[in-house]
Amino acid sequence: MALNLFSPTTEIKAISFLDSSKSNYNLNHLLKLQGGISLKRKDNGGTVGKKVQCSAQPPPPAWPGTALVEPGRKSWDGPKPLSVVGSTGSIGTQTLDIVAENPDKFRVVALAAGSNVTLLADQVKTFKPQLVAVRNESLVDELKEALADVEDKPEIIPGEEGVVEVARHPDAVSVVTGIVGCAGLKPTVAAIEAGKDICLANKETLIAGGPFVLPLAHKHQVKILPADSEHSAIFQCIQGLPEGALRRIILTASGGAFRDWPVEKLKDVKVADALKHPNWNMGKKITVDSATLFNKGLEVIEAHYLYGADYDNIEIVIHPQSIIHSMVETQDSSILAQLGWPDMRLPILYTMSWPDRIYCSEITWPRLDLCKLGSLTFKAPDNVKYPSMELAYAAGRAGGTMTGVLSAANEKAVEMFINEQIGYLDIFKVVEVTCNKHQAELVSAPSLEEIVHYDLWARDYAATLQFSAGLRPALV
């Protein structure tokens, strides 16, 4: 069935990329809570019950259901040389904390940051990289001044060119990619072309760039090592599995701010409500994504690209304690899980050390005590409360540029919600309408330029969908 979205005065073309056969996708009840917009189903020319698949050959997964160490892979005796792209962000600072704690295991050869010159200068003084980049070119003089008393000054290359040079620094073995958004795509591609293993913390690399990046990684025999906690959990669980052993991937989700809210209350959600995560404090964007469950829908797409699992074999389960970070089921129905306190340092560390395991002090890395924890609980996600799930599955099945459009449209919709330009439930509608609009121009096997182009297009188009108090979409 196709989905048709209407306002009181404006009919919006049916969304053909949605596959409503997999689960009980139902925005109708959710949107009626706001009034003015209803969702109708219709038989779309005999396509009822059929899945829309990408017409092009899907890209090869990074890890086809197993993670095996190739014979002869070097295990580092001394400090492993790393480049860090996005060194002043959350991923970058945690990476450097790990390096500082393990100077015998890692060393930094190059750093790239956006505009936090003060922190970048401190990092340079501590880790003594050979090369530094600051994306904001206007801050180069300020950085040089901050490093005036440094004896062994690094080379400084400003702008995007500098970020790319950091990513492909000749001495680096692995590159930690901590830049947010499509800005992280070009340096990641440069690192892959230079033969560097990727410690992947940039979602867009696979969600938007998967059809281009994965074949490139295979061509250059580069390993993509996931730093996201859920995908790291899966990666850890498939270590050494026989070929064909993976049957199902189970992604765990906290459920976000509204996991215990009745659906009827969602029409009254305020920004402050969406930012009250029950488990931890995070940035505004990821906290809202956790509330809508778009974060988990995007992780479904990443799991498909990383491990080659069919979308029918990737499931989401609500796990309020956030101790089991994800699970895999093998062909004989065994379930393997990775557990730990919610701490991003562990998955980051594993990308840096794989296939080795590094001893961690109990002082800075608290060990999990299951007896103190007491219990772990699970429940199925509500498809009415979280329509983002079916939107993500549909975009994943459409493939090509659709997944990047979904991610970019969601990012823009969340920004508009946080700025109080649209309501909470409008987030789902903005994403749906943007994906519908893109259907006519979907590129199954995009180039890097096409991926970046449609990311920008989706943000611009989503921004035109201004929902007034009467909830009438205004298509500019």
Side-chain angles (χ1 to χ4, degrees):
M1 296 182 184
L3 299 177
N4 211 12
L5 191 62
F6 294 87
S7 76
T9 58
T10 305
E11 178 176 335
I12 300 174
K13 192 175 180 181
I15 294 177
S16 58
F17 81 98
L18 277 169
D19 163 35
S20 57
S21 65
K22 183 176 187 295
S23 59
N24 298 319
Y25 177 85
N26 186 5
L27 271 174
N28 193 37
H29 177 62
L30 191 61
L31 299 183
K32 276 185 175 180
L33 295 174
Q34 287 183 299
I37 287 186
S38 64
L39 190 69
K40 297 184 179 181
R41 297 175 180 266
K42 71 176 184 179
D43 187 330
N44 189 26
T47 62
V48 176
K50 293 184 179 179
K51 294 174 185 174
V52 181
Q53 299 285 354
C54 181
S55 59
Q57 182 72 19
W63 303 94
T66 185
L68 301 173
V69 182
E70 63 273 89
R73 181 179 179 88
K74 181 176 180 179
S75 182
W76 291 89
D77 297 324
K80 185 178 182 180
L82 306 171
S83 286
V84 183
V85 177
S87 68
T88 58
S90 174
I91 296 296
T93 54
Q94 290 180 86
T95 298
L96 294 178
D97 286 344
I98 293 169
V99 174
E101 189 173 344
N102 299 277
D104 60 324
K105 302 294 185 183
F106 308 107
R107 65 184 177 92
V108 175
V109 297
L111 294 173
S115 57
N116 191 340
V117 170
T118 302
L119 180 53
L120 178 59
D122 289 341
Q123 292 174 345
V124 170
K125 293 173 184 178
T126 300
F127 297 99
K128 300 176 174 56
Q130 302 164 29
L131 174 66
V132 175
V134 55
R135 190 177 184 87
N136 187 338
E137 298 186 33
S138 66
L139 298 175
V140 170
D141 289 341
E142 185 179 337
L143 177 61
K144 289 180 178 178
E145 184 178 346
L147 298 176
D149 59 345
V150 173
E151 187 173 336
D152 294 321
K153 292 181 176 58
E155 179 183 3
I156 299 174
I157 304 178
E160 187 173 298
E161 178 191 355
V163 178
V164 166
E165 291 304 320
V166 165
R168 64 186 182 196
H169 191 281
D171 290 349
V173 171
S174 298
V175 180
V176 179
T177 59
I179 291 182
V180 176
C182 267
L185 263 175
K186 287 185 178 180
T188 302
V189 167
I192 291 172
E193 290 176 336
K196 315 299 182 185
D197 285 344
I198 306 299
C199 302
L200 183 67
N202 172 275
K203 287 182 177 293
E204 282 73 18
T205 296
L206 292 182
I207 293 171
F212 176 83
V213 167
L214 288 170
L216 190 70
H218 280 274
K219 175 183 175 182
H220 292 279
Q221 299 182 324
V222 161
K223 302 299 184 187
I224 296 180
L225 304 157
D228 182 78
S229 60
E230 289 80 0
H231 295 113
S232 176
I234 297 164
F235 182 59
Q236 293 180 60
C237 288
I238 66 171
Q239 297 296 309
L241 282 185
E243 185 176 351
L246 181 64
R247 183 176 182 177
R248 181 170 54 127
I249 286 173
I250 305 166
L251 291 166
T252 54
S254 68
F258 307 126
R259 69 187 181 202
D260 299 320
W261 283 41
V263 171
E264 290 72 20
K265 283 188 63 179
L266 295 182
K267 69 181 186 300
D268 301 319
V269 163
K270 305 299 182 187
V271 174
D273 299 322
L275 296 179
K276 293 177 182 176
H277 196 284
N279 291 7
W280 49 72
N281 293 319
M282 303 181 293
K284 291 183 179 180
K285 177 12 175 99
I286 186 59
T287 305
V288 174
D289 278 352
S290 182
T292 62
L293 223 67
F294 259 115
N295 67 327
K296 213 53 53 177
L298 295 172
E299 287 171 14
V300 166
I301 295 168
E302 283 186 279
H304 170 75
Y305 281 135
L306 277 167
Y307 307 112
D310 185 84
Y311 284 103
D312 286 346
N313 296 325
I314 306 172
E315 298 181 10
I316 298 170
V317 63
I318 303 296
H319 170 48
Q321 294 83 14
S322 299
I323 294 298
I324 295 180
H325 298 300
S326 277
M327 297 170 272
V328 301
E329 180 184 22
T330 58
Q331 294 292 348
D332 59 5
S333 77
S334 290
I335 301 288
L336 307 179
Q338 188 266 328
L339 288 72
W341 296 118
D343 187 340
M344 275 299 296
R345 292 177 305 161
L346 179 57
I348 294 170
L349 172 63
Y350 196 53
T351 67
M352 297 161 63
S353 67
W354 183 84
D356 298 329
R357 295 278 188 174
I358 292 178
Y359 172 81
C360 294
S361 165
E362 291 185 46
I363 298 172
T364 53
W365 301 72
R367 296 166 70 180
L368 181 63
D369 187 330
L370 291 175
C371 294
K372 285 184 179 179
L373 187 64
S375 63
L376 303 174
T377 59
F378 309 89
K379 64 179 180 179
D382 185 336
N383 287 309
V384 175
K385 184 184 290 186
Y386 303 114
S388 50
M389 292 188 299
E390 191 68 5
L391 288 168
Y393 277 99
R397 290 192 172 95
T401 49
M402 186 63 78
T403 52
V405 164
L406 174 94
S407 177
N410 172 64
E411 189 167 329
K412 188 62 182 181
V414 170
E415 178 188 319
M416 291 192 290
F417 167 67
I418 291 172
N419 293 334
E420 300 185 346
Q421 295 171 285
I422 62 173
Y424 174 77
L425 296 181
D426 294 331
I427 295 172
F428 306 106
K429 292 181 287 181
V430 167
V431 174
E432 186 177 6
V433 172
T434 304
C435 288
N436 175 47
K437 182 71 174 178
H438 179 59
Q439 179 69 7
E441 295 186 14
L442 187 151
V443 181
S444 295
S447 65
L448 181 61
E449 291 72 21
E450 287 169 324
I451 290 166
V452 173
H453 167 77
Y454 283 111
D455 174 270
L456 296 173
W457 171 85
R459 296 169 194 274
D460 291 342
Y461 183 80
T464 69
L465 298 173
Q466 297 295 328
F467 290 84
S468 66
L471 298 178
R472 185 181 72 178
L475 304 182
V476 179

